[in-house]
Amino acid sequence: MANITAKDVASLRERTGVGMMDCKKALVEADGDFEQAIVILREKGLASQAKKAGRVSAEGLVEAFVENGVGVVVEVNSETDFVANTDQFKSFVKTVAKTIAAENPADVEALKACKAVGSEMTVQEELQELFLKIRENIQIRRFTRLEGDLVSYVHGEGRIGVLVQLDTDLGDKAYACGKDCALQIAAMSPAYLDRASVPAEVLEGEKKIVMAQMAEDPKMASKPEAVLAKIAEGKLGKYYSENCLVEQEFVKDNEYTVGKYVEKCAKDLGGKIAIKQYIRYERGEGIAKKEENFAEEIASMIK
């Protein structure tokens, strides 16, 4: 049996773009023969997968669920919405979410090394198997796992996923209130939970914008500093009402802010309810999508 060194593995990885472990397995199977190892990787479809890894994956699904006091929200991306809507892809995303709940991995790389729930393979191996079936770049982009009193919500067939953690002594009785908050978060995308959550540098930036706007208004020039300060505070209040969840107008009943609605729920139920934190994922947010010219793409395929 050939002596496979780390340098050999690294060299094969450089030539194929395939992961280190798969390169090592291929070299062992090929008894150290580089060209045969490349053939093995190609036969498994892994070399093709590596080539496609640089392609933009901005479609996919966001999954959110809660089970036995553990909540997960995860985003898995594909290249096209066609693939994202297949049963195979949906099943993979659910398996990933359940594995996160069960194994509590530290990050995406640790998750890939975990044995997938309901399978003898790791999550990475499951991902590779899925690639061989659908031939698209698939990326597990991010996830959050929480424990406690939680409510999940998925909007738009996987376009947005929300996880809300409550501080409550009401157990399941607080579920409806938490679900309403999750719907609010999905719809209005608040940047922060409350005023205390707004970073000082963000607030300072908003103050500068408000002062600059007033400086451009001739009507403001003659007003005393104290009056200007109060006007500035009022304008910042609008910023809070737009960007802080508990100060947003409640979409289901605009007589309340979200904070006041939660207080009402707690009072009506005779207990305590507060929003401890929330996570909101929107599919593809922050990913620069490549602009495709469909006509050119078809033309290139038939040349």
Side-chain angles (χ1 to χ4, degrees):
M1 181 177 175
N3 179 31
I4 310 298
T5 67
K7 187 176 180 180
D8 294 332
V9 175
S11 178
L12 182 59
R13 185 184 188 284
E14 187 176 338
R15 287 183 63 179
T16 63
V18 178
M20 298 288 277
M21 288 304 297
D22 289 306
C23 285
K24 183 178 180 181
K25 288 177 184 177
L27 281 167
V28 169
E29 188 176 337
D31 198 25
D33 185 324
F34 268 68
E35 297 306 318
Q36 182 59 28
I38 291 172
V39 171
I40 290 168
L41 290 173
R42 290 184 64 191
E43 286 174 349
K44 291 180 178 179
L46 297 179
S48 174
Q49 180 183 10
K51 287 180 181 178
K52 293 191 178 187
R55 286 161 51 164
V56 175
S57 297
E59 298 298 333
L61 293 174
V62 176
E63 172 71 10
F65 84 102
V66 176
E67 192 172 83
N68 300 322
V70 176
V72 170
V73 60
V74 59
E75 179 182 1
V76 182
N77 298 123
S78 60
E79 293 179 45
T80 64
D81 58 356
F82 176 80
V83 161
N85 287 320
T86 63
D87 290 338
Q88 291 172 324
F89 187 85
K90 291 176 181 179
S91 176
F92 174 72
V93 175
K94 287 186 182 297
T95 295
V96 170
K98 289 179 180 178
T99 304
I100 294 165
E103 301 295 332
N104 192 18
D107 52 30
V108 171
E109 288 308 308
L111 167 63
K112 289 178 180 178
C114 293
K115 181 180 284 189
V117 166
S119 172
E120 290 302 309
M121 294 191 290
T122 65
V123 170
Q124 176 65 20
E125 289 167 340
E126 288 277 355
L127 190 154
Q128 289 170 347
E129 285 291 309
L130 181 59
F131 166 79
L132 294 176
K133 294 173 183 175
I134 66 177
R135 299 288 172 169
E136 275 198 11
N137 182 22
I138 304 164
Q139 297 291 332
I140 303 171
R141 185 185 182 198
R142 53 182 174 166
F143 68 85
T144 298
R145 180 186 185 276
L146 298 174
E147 297 182 9
D149 292 300
L150 300 158
V151 179
S152 64
Y153 172 65
V154 176
H155 178 75
E157 297 183 342
R159 185 171 69 86
I160 296 171
V162 176
L163 194 61
V164 180
Q165 185 177 38
L166 300 174
D167 181 7
T168 182
D169 56 6
L170 290 165
D172 291 343
K173 290 181 180 179
Y175 176 83
C177 178
K179 192 63 172 249
D180 283 337
C181 292
L183 290 167
Q184 174 86 21
I185 293 161
M188 302 307 293
S189 188
Y192 310 103
L193 174 60
D194 52 24
R195 294 190 181 203
S197 305
V198 182
E201 61 271 20
V202 172
L203 193 56
E204 191 59 35
E206 286 302 313
K207 286 179 181 177
K208 287 180 180 178
I209 292 170
V210 168
M211 296 306 291
Q213 288 172 343
M214 290 195 295
E216 292 294 318
D217 188 347
K219 295 178 182 178
M220 296 290 181
S222 61
K223 294 186 184 294
E225 284 294 322
V227 173
L228 291 175
K230 280 191 173 293
I231 294 172
E233 282 298 319
K235 288 182 178 290
L236 283 174
K238 184 181 179 183
Y239 174 82
Y240 290 132
S241 68
E242 291 175 348
N243 292 278
C244 296
L245 173 63
V246 297
E247 297 198 27
Q248 284 185 338
E249 185 179 277
F250 182 42
V251 292
K252 292 183 73 173
D253 187 344
N254 59 18
E255 288 187 15
Y256 299 94
T257 62
V258 174
K260 292 298 181 185
Y261 170 72
V262 172
E263 288 177 11
K264 179 181 182 296
C265 289
K267 184 177 179 181
D268 290 348
L269 293 168
K272 177 181 73 171
I273 307 175
I275 304 168
K276 195 171 183 180
Q277 63 175 313
Y278 67 88
I279 308 296
R280 182 188 187 276
Y281 285 175
E282 185 165 351
R283 179 185 61 213
E285 61 186 341
I287 298 176
K289 296 185 181 182
K290 182 181 177 182
E291 294 297 325
E292 301 286 358
N293 186 313
F294 187 64
E296 288 181 3
E297 183 178 344
I298 295 299
S300 69
M301 290 170 65
I302 60 176
K303 282 180 181 178

